[in-house]
Amino acid sequence: MMNMKKIKTWMLLIAVALVTNMAVSCNEEDLPDNYYTATEMTAAGFLQNDPARFSEFTRILQRANFLSTLATYGEYTLYAPTNEAVNNYLSANNYGSVEDIPQNVCDTIARTHIVKGGVYFTVDVSDGTLPLLNMDDRNITITCDSDVNNNNAIIYYVNKSAKMIERDDSVTNGVVHTIDRLLVSTSMLLPDLIKQDTTSTIFASALALTGVELKMRKVEDYSYTIGRDSVEEGLPEVFFGAEGEKWTKVKFVERRYFKYTAFVETDETFEKAGILNINDLIAKAKAWYDNVFPEDAGKYDDDYTHPKNPLNRFVSYHILPFLVNYDQLVISGQIKDYYCDLSKADAEDYYETMAQGCILRASGPKDGKVYLNRKRMDVLITPGVRVLSPTESGLNLQDCANGVYHYISAPLYFNPEALNNRMRIDATTLFPDFLNMSKCRVQFNEKTMTMFKNNYLTNVKATSQSLIGVRGNEIWTNSWEGNMVAICGEFDVEIKLPPVPKTGMYELRLGYSVNPSRGIIQVYLNGIACGVPVNLQQGPEGWKEDTEDEEENRATDKSMHNRGFMKAPDSQGGDISNGGTPFRAAGYIMRRVLYTGEIRQDQENWVRFRQLLKGNYSLSLDYIELCPKNIYASPEGEDTH
């Protein structure tokens, strides 16, 4: 990874040298001289070599026993405060010197400034959250601004408070960014963090009035324990398939957290919609949700804590019971650039909210922004509600120990019609625990499978013989969005599906790739078998490569669909932005129609996968599709995207 980072950095330097009069943005500017520092020093050596600036922080690291860590081989991103920054912290907290800082506080300070396992230059994250947590298991958020007094040069901030005064100093085991203030994490829980935000008082009042805030106070599952050997060394080996295909690393997660994501309207945003106080919001919520759920109209208006109360539904729809940072709401960065053909379809992901039976769609179109419940088919049908980036959100710190909140551009409420389209649900979004562990939807450096101990996955029922793990995004895989959930062994696993937007006829489909290690599975929906077993080792009969004749292509699609198969979508593929091959053109990547029939919005729906072969076979669970009848049986035919 370090080699790739260095190549990437030098390529950017060359590009900057060739391009003049470049427009300034968070991602483009004339780079400072210190952007890349050729050095043989480790991160620890970088600090020790400059005591005039870093002696105080070096002493903090020594007391916390982290200086030696930063002197070892590995991959680290270090945010190094200057002596002046440390002294300002000491003065503000009435400490005479670093030696007066309590040991537990000193340890926390050290962990807060180190990200282990990833090297992040400002070209990698310039407006968003680092893919990995710091060593204190907290987010590091990078924002930027333009320095009007210095030719509009870009200024980068860490956690919206510490300014990078020097950045991107490469060392042998990572990168060092010099900052002008210590990073301090808040101990608040998410609802309390929202309530102290003076720009969002109406939403905070609704959060308290409905009691939804009481459902957002869990932090960690202390019943979950794992040995250090399992965390650091992992399982010795796990074999898939008769040929003994092996993953190089399989590890258990050390700690199990509970986290939340909130989408919050500011008072100014509400005012633009005619909502000036909590009573106005109560009235608006009633109008919206009485229309969506007429069978409940008027029944629960006086009980704001009831889940079917309109205000309660409004607030609950703003909350996800897991962590999704801004950059991870939709596939982004290098993965998005590599896989997505945005001319054909927006990048999208779907999330179950805390409002019963209500799903949320996040979209990432060509403009690089993130929207909620935006509906685009061939044309834009519903523009949706935009999620503001960390830089756009101002100086308020928006993440804490158990979650993060994002500002949104307009009132957000559940609208089944805006969600009435084919839902392609990436498998990683089905598992809250994988989302909470941070690595789930980011790129791994190596072939790694990460899992929790059995019986510690939310929305999952599994036998003791089942192993369920996640592989993070990785360029060059044949997986949708570059990631997948691997279900291994002689497994029998049941997974709760997110709700459909309204009761009706749907096709339930499985997206997967053929491989001899995959096995043969029987699928069930709500306890009822879905047709014949699915052979994951063989492709479908009748698959033909697309031709220039669209009628012939449609005939092939129809013939395959009659057999229960569909080609993979053409809106993603390998290096597709540079003319690479779309997944649709690969005969070993496909969709299998598992079930056609009614799926209800007002009940939980569970899909079960049972391995029929003896031995260590696997299911590469890539994505699930829930497609309504108005799409799959439309007179025009379903699109190929």
Side-chain angles (χ1 to χ4, degrees):
M1 185 174 185
M2 277 300 300
N3 289 336
M4 291 179 67
K5 295 287 185 184
K6 291 178 181 177
I7 291 170
K8 187 176 183 181
T9 303
W10 282 113
M11 289 178 66
L12 184 56
L13 283 171
I14 293 168
V16 170
L18 294 175
V19 178
T20 58
N21 300 321
M22 185 181 297
V24 175
S25 72
C26 287
N27 296 311
E28 297 176 336
E29 62 166 311
D30 292 331
L31 298 173
D33 292 339
N34 70 298
Y35 185 82
Y36 178 84
T37 303
T39 176
E40 293 301 320
M41 289 186 294
T42 63
F46 181 90
L47 301 179
Q48 292 172 310
N49 196 52
D50 195 354
R53 286 205 301 170
F54 299 118
S55 60
E56 299 283 15
F57 184 56
T58 299
R59 180 57 188 146
I60 289 174
L61 294 173
Q62 286 174 328
R63 285 194 56 201
N65 294 321
F66 279 105
L67 188 64
S68 57
T69 299
L70 294 172
T72 60
Y73 174 80
E75 292 185 335
Y76 300 94
T77 299
L78 176 66
Y79 297 92
T82 62
N83 286 343
E84 182 180 2
V86 176
N87 288 329
N88 287 340
Y89 170 82
L90 296 175
S91 177
N93 290 276
N94 297 316
Y95 297 133
S97 70
V98 168
E99 308 306 321
D100 295 332
I101 302 175
Q103 187 62 50
N104 65 320
V105 177
C106 192
D107 294 346
T108 299
I109 291 173
R111 292 194 301 268
T112 298
H113 291 77
I114 304 169
V115 177
K116 181 180 180 181
V119 182
Y120 300 107
F121 293 81
T122 49
V123 293
D124 300 312
V125 181
S126 61
D127 186 12
T129 304
L130 296 193
L132 298 182
L133 301 177
N134 64 22
M135 293 190 70
D136 198 42
D137 287 344
R138 299 293 186 88
N139 282 325
I140 293 288
T141 300
I142 308 299
T143 54
C144 60
D145 198 359
S146 177
D147 186 354
V148 295
N149 297 318
N150 188 22
N151 296 321
N152 288 324
I154 297 303
I155 308 171
Y156 290 91
Y157 294 90
V158 186
N159 288 354
K160 299 193 174 185
S161 60
K163 177 182 175 181
M164 286 191 198
I165 53 180
E166 289 186 8
R167 57 188 174 85
D168 300 305
D169 280 307
S170 178
V171 291
T172 58
N173 59 350
V175 63
V176 179
H177 306 283
T178 302
I179 56 178
D180 70 349
R181 183 178 297 185
L182 254 71
L183 304 179
V184 180
S185 299
T186 178
S187 59
M188 287 186 177
L189 300 182
L190 186 58
D192 300 321
L193 189 66
I194 294 171
K195 285 193 291 185
Q196 79 158 16
D197 186 341
T198 57
T199 70
S200 302
T201 61
I202 298 175
F203 184 85
S205 296
L207 196 65
L209 183 61
T210 57
V212 173
E213 66 163 309
L214 301 177
K215 302 176 183 179
M216 301 166 60
R217 295 193 169 276
K218 294 194 292 184
V219 178
E220 184 173 354
D221 182 356
Y222 295 104
S223 70
Y224 180 87
T225 58
I226 201 77
R228 293 300 311 171
D229 57 338
S230 297
V231 175
E232 294 174 356
E233 301 298 330
L235 301 178
E237 55 190 18
V238 171
F239 292 94
F240 293 168
E243 301 302 319
E245 179 187 343
K246 184 172 68 175
W247 295 63
T248 56
K249 287 194 175 181
V250 182
K251 295 186 178 181
F252 285 107
V253 175
E254 181 179 3
R255 301 168 74 175
R256 183 176 185 241
Y257 292 110
F258 300 110
K259 297 188 179 184
Y260 309 88
T261 303
F263 301 99
V264 175
E265 296 94 345
T266 64
D267 294 344
E268 182 181 0
T269 298
F270 274 138
E271 184 178 354
K272 291 177 181 177
I275 300 170
L276 304 181
N277 52 52
I278 186 65
N279 291 325
D280 289 343
L281 181 57
I282 291 170
K284 281 281 191 180
K286 178 173 173 57
W288 287 325
Y289 282 95
D290 281 1
N291 180 58
V292 175
F293 299 104
E295 67 276 12
D296 296 329
K299 294 181 180 178
Y300 309 99
D301 290 358
D302 297 329
D303 184 359
Y304 297 111
T305 63
H306 196 285
K308 293 184 178 181
N309 171 274
L311 183 66
N312 193 295
R313 276 177 160 146
F314 176 85
V315 174
S316 298
Y317 191 63
H318 287 63
I319 312 299
L320 307 180
F322 40 77
L323 176 69
V324 190
N325 291 313
Y326 176 80
D327 327 60
Q328 297 169 12
L329 282 165
V330 189
I331 179 177
S332 63
Q334 185 184 15
I335 301 295
K336 183 177 181 179
D337 294 341
Y338 184 84
Y339 282 104
C340 293
D341 184 347
L342 298 178
S343 67
K344 290 187 169 68
D346 294 347
E348 289 188 344
D349 277 306
Y350 291 83
Y351 301 100
E352 182 174 4
T353 70
M354 288 181 67
Q356 292 180 3
C358 300
I359 195 169
L360 184 73
R361 178 172 64 242
S363 301
K366 277 185 174 181
D367 65 8
K369 298 174 182 177
V370 177
Y371 298 83
L372 303 178
N373 292 351
R374 168 188 167 99
K375 185 175 181 179
R376 172 194 169 196
M377 298 176 78
D378 289 331
V379 296
L380 180 62
I381 299 171
T382 305
V385 173
R386 193 162 74 83
V387 184
L388 275 60
S389 73
T391 292
E392 294 175 304
S393 298
L395 298 178
N396 286 329
L397 186 64
Q398 293 171 262
D399 66 88
C400 60
N402 73 335
V404 65
Y405 71 96
H406 309 290
Y407 292 129
I408 53 179
S409 65
L412 173 69
Y413 58 94
F414 177 60
N415 179 0
E417 291 306 317
L419 288 155
N420 182 34
N421 67 335
R422 177 185 55 223
M423 298 163 50
R424 187 171 295 135
I425 303 160
D426 187 69
T428 60
T429 64
L430 296 172
F431 297 84
D433 299 284
F434 289 147
L435 292 170
N436 288 342
M437 75 182 203
S438 172
K439 279 189 175 184
C440 180
R441 291 168 64 76
V442 303
Q443 186 175 353
F444 280 178
N445 305 332
E446 54 197 7
K447 206 171 186 182
T448 305
M449 179 172 165
T450 307
M451 59 179 87
F452 286 83
K453 287 169 60 178
N454 236 347
N455 301 321
Y456 282 95
L457 283 175
T458 305
N459 298 337
V460 174
K461 305 171 187 175
T463 61
S464 59
Q465 293 81 19
S466 307
L467 293 175
I468 307 172
V470 65
R471 270 188 63 185
N473 291 347
E474 186 177 15
I475 294 294
W476 309 298
T477 68
N478 296 315
S479 299
W480 187 259
E481 300 193 350
N483 55 35
M484 68 171 186
V485 173
I487 305 176
C488 320
E490 296 180 14
F491 56 82
D492 192 345
V493 173
E494 205 169 357
I495 302 167
K496 185 163 79 74
L497 295 174
V500 293
K502 58 183 180 180
T503 298
M505 298 291 288
Y506 291 84
E507 280 190 350
L508 171 65
R509 306 164 179 167
L510 172 68
Y512 67 99
S513 57
V514 171
N515 191 292
S517 69
R518 302 294 194 229
I520 300 174
I521 59 171
Q522 178 64 58
V523 183
Y524 306 79
L525 179 64
N526 297 328
I528 300 174
C530 298
V532 300
V534 180
N535 189 340
L536 304 174
Q537 301 177 339
Q538 295 179 356
E541 294 181 9
W543 188 95
K544 296 178 182 178
E545 188 173 354
D546 283 349
T547 69
E548 297 297 324
D549 187 336
E550 289 301 321
E551 288 297 325
E552 182 179 349
N553 296 340
R554 280 193 287 270
T556 299
D557 288 347
K558 183 176 181 180
S559 175
M560 287 182 60
H561 195 269
N562 289 338
R563 295 183 174 93
F565 292 93
M566 299 177 67
K567 290 184 178 181
D570 61 8
S571 57
Q572 284 195 25
D575 202 16
I576 200 166
S577 60
N578 291 319
T581 304
F583 288 148
R584 178 178 168 85
Y588 53 89
I589 309 174
M590 71 198 68
R591 290 173 279 181
R592 179 67 179 265
V593 179
L594 303 175
Y595 166 83
T596 302
E598 185 183 68
I599 297 181
R600 298 196 59 81
Q601 184 266 347
D602 57 357
Q603 70 177 34
E604 290 186 354
N605 295 288
W606 290 75
V607 60
R608 176 186 173 194
F609 302 102
R610 181 169 65 91
Q611 176 63 260
L612 300 182
L613 299 182
K614 297 295 183 181
N616 293 317
Y617 289 88
S618 70
L619 164 63
S620 175
L621 184 58
D622 196 357
Y623 60 88
I624 293 287
E625 283 187 355
L626 289 164
C627 186
K629 186 175 181 178
N630 65 291
I631 301 294
Y632 72 76
S634 67
E636 301 81 12
E638 184 177 346
D639 66 51
T640 58
H641 310 328

